[in-house]
């Protein structure tokens, strides 16, 4: 990592987001006229539903153009409370909801709110790129629990127990998981809860942004367990469920103290998020899940497509993801091989760069997700793009010697 002396240690110690970096490199190559297929950034390839866009246009006409309350408009927070009740069976009050500029800001707010320098945050690997970097920013210490394809990328209660120390403050995970697609069942969550019950000072950050893209079951939130409920912070948002990545709308549901602390933090940093996005968010939640279900059907079809194509590439090993829209195949059998120019592929980042420069497919190396033996592919792309991307990947991997 390069350092520049006049920048803060905080920034010099921070890595660039790998998902955004690979997407940027892909765009730069495309700007040179090269046909690049992007499977790097995880965002639905659908447009925001028309009724949500109409609500934003109306918000402008109705002059929702001024500062909004820092934790969000009360009617948006009420719509979130209603959603949590109706879809998840969870009771919250609007004082427990804080709306932010994307789930990313919500996660960062929560970490800054809870973590003192040196306190430990347990993160199962593979994890979403920004988790460990957000912990670093807060001067906390990430403690990783490793999983692999054999365990379907899920941790056991024994692994959790073993990772806990007197310094543990927070456990954070996503289910459905980015980057593996793994989904914890209610029984698996219940087993982890028995461990948390023994450690009453640990908070649990539950990132549920992919809740609607679940192919195995209904969504199960760890907040449903009353014994730990007060220590669970749910993070969710509109980016994935309503194809609203550019709108920047996310939220937390947490105990009142944590919600008030997030409100205070946000009041000194960003203030309430975009007024227009918030008005549109109300309509998204009030009008139901029809558009989400259409997207989910497409993701299910593409999952099968990509699964079959990946299984057809010698040296690549994959499981069948249960949710989200990513594959996280094992690719370490290619390490030590050389590209046509003689450069050795030493790790997953090298392989991702090779696939970009020689195969013209943007992916992300698994090292940024905490496991170097894998790469991540997003299958939120058209069927035709996926077929062509997997053909290129197969060809590029076969050309390694
Ligand atoms: N959590 C996970 C697991 C994600 O994949 C993303 C996607 N960017 C986010 C949080 C942040 O989502 P957003 O800021 O777009 O709401
Ligand atoms: N969640 C997406 C991803 O993992 C968006 C990119 C980002 O915010 O890092 O690719």
């Amino acid at each position: 990592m390069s350092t520049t002396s006049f920048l803060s240690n905080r920034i010099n110690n921070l890595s660039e987001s790998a998902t955004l970096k690979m997407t940027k490199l892909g765009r730069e190559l495309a700007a040179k006229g090269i046909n690049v297929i992007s499977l790097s950034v995880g965002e639905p390839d659908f447009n925001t539903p028309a009724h949500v866009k109409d609500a934003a246009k109306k918000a402008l006409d109705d002059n929702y153009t001024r500062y909004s309350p820092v934790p969000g408009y009360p009617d948006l927070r009420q719509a979130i409370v209603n959603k949590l009740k109706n879809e998840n069976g969870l009771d919250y009050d609007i004082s427990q909801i804080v709306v932010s500029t994307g789930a990313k800001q919500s996660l960062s707010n929560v970490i800054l709110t809870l973590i003192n320098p040196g306190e430990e945050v347990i993160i199962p690997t593979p994890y979403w790129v920004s988790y460990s970097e957000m912990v670093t920013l807060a001067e906390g210490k990430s403690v990783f629990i490793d999983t692999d394809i054999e365990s379907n990328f899920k941790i056991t209660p024994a692994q959790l127990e073993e990772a806990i120390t007197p310094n543990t403050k927070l456990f954070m995970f996503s289910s459905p998981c980015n980057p593996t697609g793994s989904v914890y069942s209610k029984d698996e969550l219940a087993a982890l809860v028995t461990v948390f019950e023994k450690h009453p000072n640990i908070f649990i950050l539950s990132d549920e942004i992919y809740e609607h893209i679940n192919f195995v079951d209904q969504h199960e939130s760890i907040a449903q367990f009353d014994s730990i409920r007060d220590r669970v912070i749910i993070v969710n948002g509109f980016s994935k469920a309503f194809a609203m990545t550019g709108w920047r709308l996310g939220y937390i549901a947490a105990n009142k103290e944590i919600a008030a602390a997030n409100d205070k933090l946000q009041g000194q940093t960003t203030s309430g998020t975009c007024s227009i996005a918030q008005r549109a968010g109300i309509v998204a939640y009030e009008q139901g899940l029809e558009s989400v279900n259409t997207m989910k059907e497409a993701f299910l079809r593409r999952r099968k497509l990509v699964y079959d194509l990946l299984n057809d590439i010698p040296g690549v090993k994959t499981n069948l993801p249960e949710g989200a829209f990513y594959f996280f195949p094992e690719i370490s059998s290619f390490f030590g091989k050389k590209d046509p120019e003689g450069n050795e592929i030493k790790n997953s980042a090298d392989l991702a760069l090779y696939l970009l420069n020689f195969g013209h497919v943007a992916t992300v190396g698994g090292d940024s997700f905490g496991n170097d033996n894998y790469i991540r592919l997003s299958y939120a792309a058209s069927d035709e793009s996926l077929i062509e991307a997997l053909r290129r990947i197969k060809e590029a991997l076969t050309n390694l010697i």
Side-chain angles (χ1 to χ4, degrees):
M1 179 188 323
S2 69
T3 58
T4 306
S5 59
F6 61 85
L7 296 177
S8 66
N9 295 340
R10 188 178 302 116
I11 279 300
N12 280 329
N13 290 335
L14 192 71
S15 304
E16 183 179 355
S17 161
T19 46
L20 303 184
K21 180 179 163 192
M22 287 307 289
T23 307
K24 185 172 73 183
L25 291 178
R27 281 188 189 133
E28 282 169 8
L29 218 55
K32 291 183 190 154
I34 295 171
N35 172 323
V36 175
I37 302 177
S38 176
L39 307 185
S40 52
V41 76
E43 65 177 339
D45 57 317
F46 296 91
N47 293 323
T48 305
H51 62 276
V52 179
K53 292 196 277 195
D54 288 343
K57 292 173 199 164
K58 182 168 184 314
L60 268 176
D61 290 340
D62 291 347
N63 291 312
Y64 278 99
T65 51
R66 296 167 201 265
Y67 288 129
S68 66
V70 173
Y73 288 117
D75 46 353
L76 173 58
R77 293 157 79 209
Q78 186 59 51
I80 293 167
V81 165
N82 296 347
K83 175 256 182 244
L84 288 164
K85 177 75 187 161
N86 299 335
E87 288 180 15
N88 310 103
L90 299 171
D91 287 308
Y92 284 94
D93 177 83
I94 76 160
S95 64
Q96 298 178 275
I97 310 294
V98 178
V99 177
S100 298
T101 303
K104 208 174 213 171
Q105 189 193 9
S106 300
L107 290 165
S108 167
N109 280 352
V110 171
I111 291 168
L112 286 170
T113 297
L114 289 178
I115 301 303
N116 287 309
E119 285 181 334
E120 293 173 6
V121 180
I122 298 178
I123 307 176
T125 75
Y127 53 85
W128 182 48
V129 269
S130 299
Y131 288 0
S132 57
E133 296 299 323
M134 287 175 180
V135 172
T136 303
L137 262 187
E139 298 177 55
K141 185 177 164 220
S142 297
V143 173
F144 300 112
I145 304 179
D146 288 329
T147 71
D148 56 22
I149 205 162
E150 271 72 40
S151 58
N152 205 8
F153 302 110
K154 293 188 212 175
I155 62 164
T156 62
Q159 282 179 301
L160 175 61
E161 184 74 66
E162 209 188 344
I164 292 173
T165 76
N167 264 341
T168 307
K169 184 68 170 283
L170 182 67
F171 170 83
M172 68 188 290
F173 76 123
S174 60
S175 177
C177 175
N178 178 3
T180 64
S182 294
V183 174
Y184 282 85
S185 68
K186 185 171 178 180
D187 287 349
E188 286 164 340
L189 291 174
L192 298 181
V193 168
T194 59
V195 179
F196 290 124
E197 283 169 350
K198 287 188 253 165
H199 299 277
N201 297 324
I202 300 178
F203 292 86
I204 299 108
L205 181 42
S206 176
D207 183 342
E208 304 185 11
I209 193 144
Y210 294 98
E211 74 162 301
H212 295 298
I213 308 168
N214 178 339
F215 308 121
V216 285
D217 217 338
Q218 66 176 57
H219 178 66
E220 300 290 351
S221 171
I222 197 165
Q224 70 187 282
F225 299 96
D226 288 340
S227 60
I228 59 158
R229 169 71 190 282
D230 208 38
R231 295 188 271 142
V232 175
I233 303 109
I234 293 179
V235 168
N236 207 331
F238 294 73
S239 283
K240 317 290 166 172
F242 298 95
M244 291 175 71
T245 47
W247 298 64
R248 314 306 305 126
L249 199 59
Y251 60 86
I252 62 162
N255 76 35
K256 288 186 184 178
E257 290 77 13
I258 292 175
N262 275 244
D263 182 347
K264 182 167 81 169
L265 173 61
Q266 193 159 287
Q268 294 287 22
T269 51
T270 55
S271 300
T273 193
C274 170
S275 53
I276 300 155
Q278 288 191 59
R279 302 312 301 168
I282 297 172
V283 171
Y285 266 2
E286 282 177 349
Q287 302 232 342
L289 297 172
E290 201 183 309
S291 55
V292 189
N293 290 332
T294 312
M295 281 197 283
K296 191 173 139 183
E297 270 171 40
F299 291 139
L300 190 59
R301 188 182 64 245
R302 295 166 183 176
R303 180 182 72 148
K304 164 99 175 76
L305 181 70
V306 176
Y307 183 68
D308 291 345
L309 292 172
L310 278 174
N311 275 320
D312 193 39
I313 307 179
V316 173
K317 192 168 150 192
T318 187
N319 65 343
L320 185 65
E322 299 163 320
F325 37 66
Y326 306 100
F327 274 85
F328 201 63
E330 233 251 80
I331 42 71
S332 60
S333 68
F334 298 98
F335 296 171
K337 295 198 172 190
K338 295 205 168 109
D339 73 17
E341 288 175 359
N343 305 306
E344 186 184 333
I345 305 293
K346 291 192 259 347
N347 50 42
S348 63
D350 286 353
L351 194 75
L353 279 177
Y354 169 68
L355 291 177
L356 179 63
N357 292 323
F358 286 79
H360 301 153
V361 180
T363 60
V364 189
D367 58 328
S368 323
F369 301 92
N371 199 322
D372 196 30
N373 292 332
Y374 300 81
I375 55 167
R376 191 190 77 172
L377 317 173
S378 158
Y379 58 91
S382 71
D383 296 31
E384 299 73 43
S385 304
L386 290 169
I387 292 169
E388 173 59 11
L390 270 294
R391 190 197 63 74
R392 292 184 192 181
I393 291 175
K394 184 176 181 181
E395 185 177 277
L397 292 177
T398 316
N399 282 340
L400 288 171
I401 35 175

